[in-house]
Amino acid sequence: MQPMIIDIIAALPDIVRGPLNQSILKRAVSANLAEIRVHDLRQFSTDPHRQIDDYPFGGGAGMILKPEPIFACIESLQNEAEKTGPPIDEIIFLTPDGDLLNQPMANELSLKKRLVLLAGHYKGVDQRVRDQLITREISIGDYVLSGGELPALVLVDAVVRLLPGVLGDACSALTDSFQDALLDAPTYTRPASFRDLEVPSVLRSGDHHAISTWREAERLKKTSQRRPNLLEDHGPVSGGSETDSKTES
């Protein structure tokens, strides 16, 4: 099976490289399930000093990423994809004013064969890049970071962990929060009793139907308390299961 290819274009590539060599992302690359490549934007600058930013036209604070190195980098990736495949499915710009990243979006992107991620930096990128090259703009939240490198890593992690074979338990990703628009239920492990705090008895009962019922009730209760907006497609929330009173000692 051909690995998913993800190209990350960054002004500060060292921010990106470290996390790619850890945990799930490292496992995915080592197993040839994903190929994640980091491109230093400065390598595509024709400026003698490798400058990739400049002052904005019209004045104002901050510096703007220049169009020339970005066009050169993305066009080189497009030319490579035309020769060797697979074709590029999406060219994504990480920006606070993009569409908010959510689980359905991560699920959708995990089905793609090749993604290019542009991590902005400084004040932003020349609008001509967004108009001519970018196919999708994604935000990880309504706040501003110093650059798009960390959002790019968030997106990569959210997508790559969904690839078949990446997680040790194939069902793990399917039971994550937000997969069906609900938050996850509380989870416990050994010991069953810790500092007089007890694991709910239903989880130790061996009754899988009762456990499933308890978890669903807890998921609904937590979602109604913390993210009631997610419940629009799930109808009214029940009062919980008969075992709710046993969750605290």
Side-chain angles (χ1 to χ4, degrees), residues 23-190:
S23 188
I24 299 298
L25 296 179
K26 180 180 180 180
R27 181 190 305 169
V29 173
S30 298
N32 199 38
L33 300 172
E35 181 181 346
I36 307 173
R37 310 185 303 180
V38 181
H39 306 276
D40 184 349
L41 190 56
R42 294 186 186 277
Q43 297 302 313
F44 294 87
S45 173
T46 58
D47 183 89
H49 303 291
R50 297 295 184 187
Q51 183 177 348
I52 58 174
D53 61 336
D54 210 333
Y55 296 101
F57 276 114
M63 302 289 281
I64 309 297
L65 285 176
K66 294 165 61 67
E68 302 98 323
I70 298 175
F71 268 80
C73 182
I74 290 179
E75 287 173 350
S76 71
L77 295 175
Q78 290 173 327
N79 291 335
E80 175 193 337
E82 289 178 1
K83 295 177 181 178
T84 64
I88 296 171
D89 294 300
E90 297 274 12
I91 301 175
I92 298 171
F93 176 46
L94 284 305
T95 174
D97 57 358
D99 295 328
L100 188 63
L101 176 64
N102 56 25
Q103 194 60 50
M105 187 186 298
N107 293 346
E108 175 200 348
L109 292 174
S110 73
L111 301 177
K112 307 294 186 181
K113 298 297 183 182
R114 188 166 191 165
L115 303 175
V116 174
L117 310 184
L118 173 61
H121 208 82
Y122 311 113
K123 185 65 174 178
V125 302
D126 189 290
Q127 183 63 35
R128 290 166 289 190
V129 172
R130 301 174 76 165
D131 292 340
Q132 298 297 317
L133 297 176
I134 302 302
T135 64
R136 181 178 293 199
E137 299 184 345
I138 294 177
S139 168
I140 64 166
D142 294 338
Y143 47 87
V144 178
L145 299 175
S146 299
E149 291 86 2
L150 295 179
L153 285 170
V154 168
L155 179 58
V156 170
D157 189 277
V159 170
V160 169
R161 67 188 305 276
L162 297 173
L163 300 179
V166 170
L167 297 180
D169 182 351
C171 295
S172 179
L174 298 178
T175 59
D176 288 337
S177 292
F178 304 111
Q179 280 291 7
D180 56 2
L182 295 179
L183 302 182
D184 204 0
T187 57
Y188 300 84
T189 188
R190 293 175 177 80

